Each structure stands twice: as structure tokens, then as C-alpha cells.
Amino acid sequence: MLSSDSFSYTVQARCTRADAVALLGDLSRQGELHPLIVRVRQLPPRPGALASYAITDRLELGPLHFPVTYQADVLIANEDEVVTVARQQPATTVRNHTRLRDEPDGVVRIDVEITLSAPAPLFGYAFRQARAAHLGLASRLGATLEGRAA
């Protein structure tokens, strides 16, 4: 049986939407932001994907540290939204739907919704790890984009 839940966050950055899409739509650059990523390797795009990647995270469980590699696809990357889907065995999926919009004074608002589905026995751990990692990414995103825009 699968369990599923979502969380969201918003980041504002003084940059262009093109700068935000360039960073968020290129998963090879996510190691700059995502606190668990230790390696990203681009793969040939899967059917229906703009780009595909093998991503290795370094996870912790108590005193144990272990690598986990999963596949991620960029499905949409345009000035209004970026959609990615990551898949890991067994039956774990993380969908990232990012919406972008201009605000006054050259600020871009980035609204992100993350939905994770995983087998019930793994769900609690997977959801906590995903939320902590993505909120860590969010804490770096604005400054990274503003540094790029300068």
C-alpha cells in the first residue's frame, strides 16, 4: 500500500524568470542547492522528458550513512513552471511542481509544491528526508538566484 502527502514553500528572488528556470530546470546544477545530493549524471532523455538524470543522495539513518541513486526527469521547463518527477525503488515518487511569476521591483515569486508517494513502511522516513532536503534547498535558492542575476 502506498502513502502520499505534499508540502509547499515559496521563495522570492530578485532575478528573471529565465534565471530561475535555468537553475531549477537543470538538475545537474541542483547539487549547489540540495543538501543531500552528492552526484548528478545526465542520461539520455526518457520518452516524454526534456532531460533525464541519475542522482545520488547521501542519506542518514541514525549512525548509518548510505547512498541512494534514483532517476529524475524534467517534464516541463518554461517561464511559468518547472515540473520534475523523481523515481526510486521501491515504488517511491517525488513530484516537484514549481510555478513562477513576476512581482513588483524585479522580484520573481517561486511557489513549489512537492508530492511524495512511497510504500507505507518507508513513507515516514522518506517524507521527513524529502521535506528537510527541499526546505534546505529553499533556504539557499533566493541567494543563489540573486547572486547569478548580479
Side-chain angles (χ1 to χ4, degrees), residues 35-92:
L36 298 179
I37 292 177
V38 295
R39 182 173 181 225
V40 179
R41 185 171 46 93
Q42 191 154 9
L43 303 172
R46 292 167 40 101
L50 301 173
S52 297
Y53 302 85
I55 299 174
T56 302
D57 285 355
R58 183 172 181 254
L59 300 179
E60 296 179 12
L61 184 59
L64 302 175
H65 300 269
F66 54 96
V68 173
T69 300
Y70 54 93
Q71 290 200 354
D73 298 320
V74 178
L75 303 179
I76 298 170
N78 62 46
E79 69 176 19
D80 297 318
E81 67 182 335
V82 176
V83 176
T84 63
V85 175
R87 289 168 312 285
Q88 177 186 336
Q89 292 300 323
T92 300

Side-chain angles (χ1 to χ4, degrees), residues 16-146:
T16 66
R17 282 198 264 174
D19 289 336
V21 171
L23 179 60
L24 297 171
D26 181 356
L27 300 185
S28 67
R29 297 170 61 190
Q30 292 297 299
E32 302 170 40
L33 301 170
H34 194 294
L36 298 179
I37 292 177
V38 295
R39 182 173 181 225
V40 179
R41 185 171 46 93
Q42 191 154 9
L43 303 172
R46 292 167 40 101
L50 301 173
S52 297
Y53 302 85
I55 299 174
T56 302
D57 285 355
R58 183 172 181 254
L59 300 179
E60 296 179 12
L61 184 59
L64 302 175
H65 300 269
F66 54 96
V68 173
T69 300
Y70 54 93
Q71 290 200 354
D73 298 320
V74 178
L75 303 179
I76 298 170
N78 62 46
E79 69 176 19
D80 297 318
E81 67 182 335
V82 176
V83 176
T84 63
V85 175
R87 289 168 312 285
Q88 177 186 336
Q89 292 300 323
T92 300
T93 303
V94 178
R95 180 178 172 83
N96 179 323
H97 189 178
T98 301
R99 292 176 182 87
L100 305 133
R101 73 172 190 234
D102 292 326
E103 293 201 332
D105 300 322
V107 171
V108 172
R109 179 182 170 114
I110 303 164
D111 293 308
V112 180
E113 182 177 23
I114 305 289
T115 303
L116 182 133
S117 298
L122 300 175
F123 180 79
Y125 175 77
F127 191 80
R128 284 189 305 276
Q129 290 291 312
R131 183 165 45 202
H134 284 272
L135 294 178
L137 180 154
S139 73
R140 297 177 177 109
L141 181 57
T144 299
L145 285 168
E146 290 183 5

